[in-house]
Amino acid sequence: MDMDKIRQLQEIIDGSDNIVFFGGAGVSTESGIPDFRSQDGLYHMKYKYPPETIISHSFFMRKPEEFYRFYKDKMLALDAQPNAAHRKLAELEKAGKLKAVITQNIDGLHQKAGSREVMELHGSVLRNYCTRCGEFYDAEYVKNSDSVPKCAKCGGMVKPDVVLYEEGLDNNIMSKSVSYIRSADVLIIGGTSLVVYPAAGLIDYFRGSRLVLINKGATARDAGADLVITDPIGEVFSQIRVS
Ligand code: CNA
């Protein structure tokens, strides 16, 4: 690990009480959940259909059995536990230094670690609703259903509250995220390839003093960052002290 860069990160964190974190699937790989675009990510595994196709709205409507086979197998990781990155971000919030976590993840691990102000841009596997009557179901209900989960009240198909390809993002969550990023002094971006829009475009609203990028792979934004760290994000945050 590049300890000089860890020291720089510590200094940046020590010097601010208005930090915002923007993250993606790479934040949860150290919790055992595969991301999409790493070498061992879901996009490099072989399925009957490309993952981008399976997790699209039209595919969900046309072939819900195939959708749920993939979803339950690869995206519902209900036993996963937060890692040091999730835990340290929760600690920073509690200490009054971090204002919000803005995440593209759908795994609920930030909240499980204790974070309160979490903007879930792409929703959460923990919430599921009947597409006909709106009845709520938890993730266990979906996991334990055979094939496609059906509403116990009306028989309608149950859909996870996650944003599939071809679906729009929640306006309220988007505008709150813009507002957090626009007023942040430090923006830490971690574990995201920054290629999924409109989420990745949110960082253009940042006008603060320090931009930090913690990502194993190179991103298009590396050149504009004040500090770029390529070590695993959980290991990086495990080195950070919260004062
Ligand atoms: P992505 O495109 O798969 O990119 C992940 C990035 O994280 C890559 O650039 C990796 O190099 C990097 N990375 C992987 N592990 C680590 C690590 N330990 N430390 C530092 N960097 C690491 O994922 P994005 O989030 O950018 O793409 C957005 C998609 C992925 C969103 O729509 C998510 O819903 C979706 N997704 C979420 C989860 C989850 O909730 N845990 C899992 C898989 C995919």
Side-chain angles (χ1 to χ4, degrees):
M1 189 150 9
D2 188 333
M3 293 314 287
D4 185 48
K5 289 193 170 185
I6 302 288
R7 260 190 299 279
Q8 290 181 50
L9 176 61
Q10 183 74 58
E11 264 175 44
I12 291 173
I13 289 175
D14 287 347
S16 177
D17 59 3
N18 187 4
I19 305 168
V20 166
F21 180 82
F22 177 89
V27 175
S28 294
T29 53
E30 286 159 88
S31 294
I33 304 178
D35 64 7
F36 279 173
R37 292 177 183 79
S38 288
Q39 208 44 51
D40 46 2
L42 296 180
Y43 284 5
H44 293 272
M45 299 176 189
K46 293 279 168 274
Y47 299 103
K48 203 163 148 202
Y49 303 90
E52 302 94 311
T53 304
I54 303 177
I55 51 177
S56 68
H57 181 82
S58 48
F59 192 91
F60 174 79
M61 299 306 284
R62 261 186 300 121
K63 293 182 182 294
E65 303 81 10
E66 288 278 350
F67 171 90
Y68 269 112
R69 192 167 28 221
F70 177 86
Y71 177 84
K72 287 184 199 175
D73 194 25
K74 299 294 175 193
M75 301 184 73
L76 258 193
L78 300 181
D79 296 330
Q81 295 303 320
N83 63 51
H86 300 104
R87 288 196 299 271
K88 202 59 59 109
L89 288 165
E91 243 184 89
L92 285 166
E93 182 186 19
K94 211 166 174 200
K97 296 179 71 63
L98 182 126
K99 299 302 173 206
V101 166
I102 301 167
T103 184
Q104 299 162 85
N105 292 350
I106 53 176
D107 54 32
L109 288 184
H110 285 293
Q111 291 91 333
K112 207 168 184 177
S115 283
R116 286 169 176 271
E117 195 63 2
V118 183
M119 304 294 119
E120 294 178 313
L121 295 169
H122 293 159
S124 172
V125 299
L126 302 181
R127 300 184 296 268
N128 304 274
Y129 296 96
C130 172
T131 51
R132 197 182 293 161
C133 75
E135 182 72 6
F136 172 87
Y137 291 96
D138 64 15
E140 289 293 338
Y141 184 86
V142 170
K143 190 180 171 197
N144 296 331
S145 63
D146 4 294
S147 188
V148 179
K150 295 279 167 58
C151 178
K153 279 194 166 169
C154 77
M157 185 160 67
V158 173
K159 181 182 178 293
D161 187 16
V162 301
V163 179
L164 302 176
Y165 285 105
E166 303 160 1
E167 292 179 344
L169 276 64
D170 182 294
N171 279 334
N172 183 37
I173 293 172
M174 278 298 269
S175 61
K176 274 172 93 176
S177 300
V178 167
S179 150
Y180 273 123
I181 291 177
R182 218 200 307 251
S183 53
D185 165 34
V186 170
L187 179 63
I188 304 177
I189 300 171
T192 170
S193 57
L194 293 175
V195 299
V196 176
Y197 281 78
L202 282 172
I203 62 180
D204 291 331
Y205 290 95
F206 181 58
R207 296 281 176 272
S209 64
R210 299 299 191 92
L211 178 65
V212 179
L213 245 162
I214 309 171
N215 206 63
K216 275 190 186 170
T219 77
R221 305 298 185 126
D222 289 9
D226 298 290
L227 176 63
V228 177
I229 301 177
T230 54
D231 295 308
I233 192 163
E235 289 180 30
V236 169
F237 271 108
S238 68
Q239 301 293 318
I240 296 299
R241 280 168 283 103
V242 180
S243 49

